[in-house]
Amino acid sequence: MACPYDFNDPCDCQRDVINNSQQRVDSKGMDWLKRKMKELDFSDVECDDLANSLLANDSNVKLIHRRMLERLGILCMTSTQSDSLMWGYYANNEGLCIEYDVTKIVRNIVIGYINKMSFTTTRYLYQDEKYFQIPEQRTPTLCSDNLKKAKEIIRRIDIKKITNRYLAEQKNDLNILNFAINVLLKRIYAQSIIYNISPDGSPSPLFFNRTDKASETKYFRKTKTWKHEDEFRFIVSLGGRLAINIGKECIKNIYLGCNMSNERIIAIAYLMAKNNLNAGLYKMRRLKNCGLAPQSIEWTIYKDHMDLFEKHLNDNFPED
């Protein structure tokens, strides 16, 4: 999960913010603000001091904002495999593009995130935030549609894949499933980017509020310059630069750059066969009047005969 400081767009998620601490305290209480400081790994003494200072003035807003961005995990994806600029930017037309099953990705992100969560953080969320509670009980104001979707996603989780040590010590499968649902509902956000922010647009709030439309400007809005990327992103609270294994079962198709050599295609097909990866394989082809489109590569029938596969490639995908 990338941190915003790793992005090639220096403005993405790094716009100026306004201090909305008082507004959130009025709604959530002072303990909520102190817990937010705790989540950012400040000491107990610092938590009290910083929470009080945020309500008094803006002197520590930049410090808090930077710590938030350092702890923020973002997975940036696109809804298209055929954009020429994307192939030029990120793959030099020789790399590859992977299409994922989004539902499976969400499920595996939840599992991977929980498994990477530290003992201290898990205990904190479990005890102080009561993530073991039934979601309707913990957050009565939850949107029923969001709750229904979350339950459906988590219902398909193999609980044996959750290896978090603190949760294992609790020895309660129902509580673990409730924990996973609450993590999905409260810690993971997914949304398409909206491309309508002006370069000098208004600032976004310091503390993200899912119910506040202004919060969208913080992580889910960009200038029209980037519109061609057609971006969809997952945000994981406290997941900055966290490596999460989402599993090969999430992969639906693999698209190869139009300039990729047949030798490399053979190597990729070999790796797919060796790892029993059941996914489609395509090579991007140039359209006559500019643009790119995927062309299917029959590879599964050649799993055990790579020499025949090489002939198939040379016959159907002659290199320039």
Side-chain angles (χ1 to χ4, degrees), residues 110-171:
V110 172
I111 294 174
Y113 179 50
I114 291 174
N115 289 344
K116 287 291 182 74
M117 199 177 284
S118 70
F119 189 94
T120 303
T121 300
T122 310
R123 180 178 58 191
Y124 166 74
L125 293 177
Y126 193 91
Q127 294 180 350
D128 291 2
E129 297 278 8
K130 296 182 172 56
Y131 272 37
F132 62 86
Q133 289 183 327
I134 296 171
E136 299 95 319
Q137 177 185 355
R138 185 184 178 279
T139 314
T141 58
L142 277 173
C143 171
S144 58
D145 288 343
N146 290 342
L147 178 60
K148 183 179 179 181
K149 290 177 183 177
K151 284 187 172 181
E152 179 63 23
I153 290 171
I154 301 303
R155 185 177 65 83
R156 300 175 182 274
I157 278 182
D158 180 358
I159 202 167
K160 294 179 182 177
K161 292 185 177 180
I162 296 180
T163 58
N164 181 289
R165 184 166 67 90
Y166 180 83
L167 294 180
E169 291 178 357
Q170 308 314 305
K171 302 186 187 317

